[in-house]
């Protein structure tokens, strides 16, 4: 059965409401919730009718969509799920779902050879494994990196819409250095993922300097309704071309020479630290000197320190001294023996 986009939005909204057991939901409440979401997503001012919601509830209860949602009515007025753990997105995939996923996988696999779509590779494999596992009950063959305990992911969809719709956001935000949360009004520009953490790039009111905000430090989001001020000529790919990670500071692009021992050199050669990486010299003992051209930042320091004794910064001296100080400070923390 083909579903239109508006119906899917209503089903997801109703599902979200019924899973929220902190309040009780009447038919009018569900009508209002769906109308608000459709206005936000589609700009539709037309309210959802009582008959439409009743039909949606009937469809969700049936097996036509594979939901078979355990929707019950309490006190002849309040709608909820009989099973508090139920959710329409948590159920098993139907045969029709598997067939459609299989077709999607076949299409996506055709694009993996294109450079600008290579990032789809992991997604295609994950979909393919999901189809295979659900269909044949075979064990999982691939597990991609995830961090289920990461805070802030609940804000991702809302901020994504704000970026796409160019809506000003007001964050209740507490940085690692701040003792108390504060309010900041932003023009959202981009969502950036690095090391399985998400960041929002944005500018403040009447400013052009780009700042980054970790989603796991956001405590609340509201929309003040003030006009969005775009940043002229902002190009995300150009902005991040010369950095490792998220932080883009005011340093100039720097040539950094690195020595790698025989154990770590193959790893770095097959997975470069940065696209600018080139091999400067290879030695008979297997060690290697590589060069990268980047803007130094905190993420680069953490990356270099992660190699331990297997990597040494040869130049420039400023960065070499910085890494040396960090290693020395770490070593001092181990000088006093701990009680067993």
């Amino acid at each position: 059965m083909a579903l239109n986009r508006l119906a899917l939005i209503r089903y997801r909204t109703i599902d979200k409401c019924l899973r929220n057991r902190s309040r009780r939901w009447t038919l009018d409440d569900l009508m209002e919730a769906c109308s608000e979401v459709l206005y936000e997503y589609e700009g539709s001012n037309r309210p959802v009718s009582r008959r439409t919601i009743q039909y949606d509830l009937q469809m969700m209860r049936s097996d036509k969509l594979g939901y078979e949602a355990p929707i019950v009515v309490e006190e002849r007025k309040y709608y909820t799920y009989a099973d508090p753990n139920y959710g329409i997105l948590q159920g098993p995939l139907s045969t029709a779902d598997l067939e459609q996923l299989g077709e999607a996988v076949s299409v996506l696999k055709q694009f993996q050879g294109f450079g600008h779509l290579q990032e789809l590779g992991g997604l295609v494999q994950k979909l393919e494994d999901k189809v295979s596992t659900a269909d044949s009950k075979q064990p999982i063959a691939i597990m991609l990196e995830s961090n289920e305990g990461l805070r802030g992911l609940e804000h991702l969809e809302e901020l994504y819409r704000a970026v796409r719709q160019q809506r000003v956001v007001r964050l209740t935000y507490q940085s690692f250095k701040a003792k108390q949360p504060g309010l900041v009004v932003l023009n959202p520009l981009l969502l950036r993922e690095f090391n399985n953490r998400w960041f929002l790039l944005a500018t403040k009111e009447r400013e052009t300097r780009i700042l980054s905000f970790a989603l796991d430090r956001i405590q609340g989001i509201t929309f003040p309704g003030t006009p969005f001020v775009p940043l002229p000529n902002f190009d995300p790919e150009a902005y991040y071309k010369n950095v490792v990670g998220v932080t883009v500071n005011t340093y100039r692009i720097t040539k950094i020479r690195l020595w790698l021992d025989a154990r770590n050199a193959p790893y770095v050669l097959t997975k470069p630290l940065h696209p600018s990486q080139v091999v400067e010299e290879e030695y008979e003992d297997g060690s290697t000197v590589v060069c990268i051209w980047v803007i130094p930042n905190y993420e680069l320091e953490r990356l270099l320190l992660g190699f331990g004794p297997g990597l040494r910064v040869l130049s420039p001296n400023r960065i070499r001294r910085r890494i040396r100080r960090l290693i020395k400070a770490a070593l001092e923390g181990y000088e006093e023996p701990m009680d067993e």
Side-chain angles (χ1 to χ4, degrees):
M1 171 180 291
L3 292 176
N4 64 54
R5 184 177 67 257
L6 300 183
L8 286 173
I9 293 175
R10 294 197 307 272
Y11 297 152
R12 289 190 61 184
T13 303
I14 294 172
D15 175 69
K16 184 177 180 180
C17 292
L18 299 187
R19 285 190 290 112
N20 179 10
R21 305 178 78 86
S22 63
R23 63 169 291 183
R24 309 179 81 182
W25 298 90
T26 65
L27 202 61
D28 289 338
D29 293 332
L30 297 177
M31 292 165 53
E32 182 179 355
C34 288
S35 298
E36 289 179 354
V37 171
L38 287 174
Y39 174 75
E40 184 176 359
Y41 277 41
E42 304 293 326
S44 173
N45 289 312
R46 185 177 180 181
V48 178
S49 68
R50 176 180 292 265
R51 182 176 180 180
T52 296
I53 296 298
Q54 289 174 330
Y55 180 76
D56 289 343
L57 292 169
Q58 179 182 343
M59 290 295 295
M60 291 173 67
R61 284 189 179 111
S62 73
D63 61 355
K64 294 181 180 180
L65 304 176
Y67 294 155
E68 297 183 276
I71 300 174
V72 295
V73 184
E74 297 179 342
E75 303 175 22
R76 304 180 65 179
K77 182 177 182 181
Y78 301 106
Y79 291 80
T80 187
Y81 284 141
D83 179 2
N85 297 317
Y86 178 82
I88 62 174
L89 300 180
Q90 298 172 349
L93 295 173
S94 65
T95 302
D97 293 332
L98 291 173
E99 290 178 355
Q100 293 181 10
L101 274 177
E103 293 176 1
V105 168
S106 299
V107 172
L108 288 173
K109 287 176 68 175
Q110 299 179 42
F111 292 97
Q112 292 188 78
F114 291 89
H116 65 290
L117 292 175
Q118 287 179 356
E119 294 180 358
L120 289 176
L123 174 61
V124 172
Q125 289 178 328
K126 188 174 182 180
L127 278 174
E128 192 169 27
D129 189 62
K130 178 69 174 178
V131 172
S132 175
T133 302
D135 191 31
S136 61
K137 307 302 180 182
Q138 294 179 358
I140 294 174
I142 183 173
M143 181 174 287
L144 302 181
E145 180 182 5
S146 64
N147 185 351
E148 296 181 359
L150 181 63
R151 293 184 299 174
L153 294 182
E154 67 273 17
H155 304 307
L156 190 58
E157 182 177 352
E158 196 168 25
L159 290 174
Y160 171 78
R161 293 200 304 269
V163 172
R164 294 298 302 268
Q165 298 171 4
Q166 295 190 326
R167 296 181 65 192
V168 172
V169 297
R170 182 192 291 116
L171 304 184
T172 303
Y173 189 82
Q174 184 175 5
S175 69
F176 286 108
K177 298 179 180 179
K179 295 182 179 180
Q180 298 292 334
L183 293 177
V184 57
V185 179
L186 303 170
N187 298 294
L189 301 174
L190 180 73
L191 284 165
R192 166 81 166 178
E193 188 266 347
F194 178 70
N195 273 355
N196 215 27
R197 289 186 70 205
W198 284 91
F199 300 84
L200 173 69
L201 267 68
T203 59
K204 290 185 178 180
E205 291 181 298
R206 296 180 294 277
E207 293 186 14
T208 59
R209 183 165 61 104
I210 300 175
L211 304 172
S212 61
F213 299 84
L215 265 63
D216 54 13
R217 308 302 299 174
I218 297 175
Q219 299 184 10
I221 302 174
T222 57
F223 299 92
T226 53
F228 179 90
V229 180
L231 186 64
N233 303 319
F234 174 64
D235 183 345
E237 292 185 354
Y239 183 74
Y240 277 117
K241 180 180 179 181
N242 300 306
V243 299
V244 173
V246 177
T247 308
V248 180
N249 53 43
T250 56
Y251 292 122
R252 294 182 178 180
I253 299 174
T254 304
K255 176 184 178 181
I256 303 176
R257 298 177 64 246
L258 306 167
W259 173 89
L260 295 146
D261 65 9
R263 180 181 179 182
N264 287 280
Y267 174 82
V268 174
L269 293 178
T270 55
K271 186 182 178 182
L273 303 176
H274 186 263
S276 64
Q277 177 178 301
V278 297
V279 176
E280 183 177 276
E281 195 164 357
E282 295 180 286
Y283 299 99
E284 292 183 359
D285 64 356
S287 61
T288 303
V289 174
V290 301
C291 298
I292 57 175
W293 284 260
V294 296
I295 298 174
N297 61 7
Y298 171 73
E299 293 92 332
L300 177 66
E301 291 178 357
R302 293 194 63 181
L303 176 63
L304 300 181
L305 290 169
F307 286 92
L311 179 147
R312 289 201 299 268
V313 177
L314 301 180
S315 65
N317 283 328
R318 173 173 57 85
I319 297 177
R320 179 180 172 88
R321 289 193 297 267
R322 169 67 176 169
I323 297 297
R324 181 178 178 177
R325 285 196 299 269
L326 292 172
I327 294 175
K328 184 178 179 180
L331 181 61
E332 290 174 352
Y334 288 92
E335 289 182 349
E336 294 294 331
M338 300 293 290
D339 294 334
E340 295 294 339

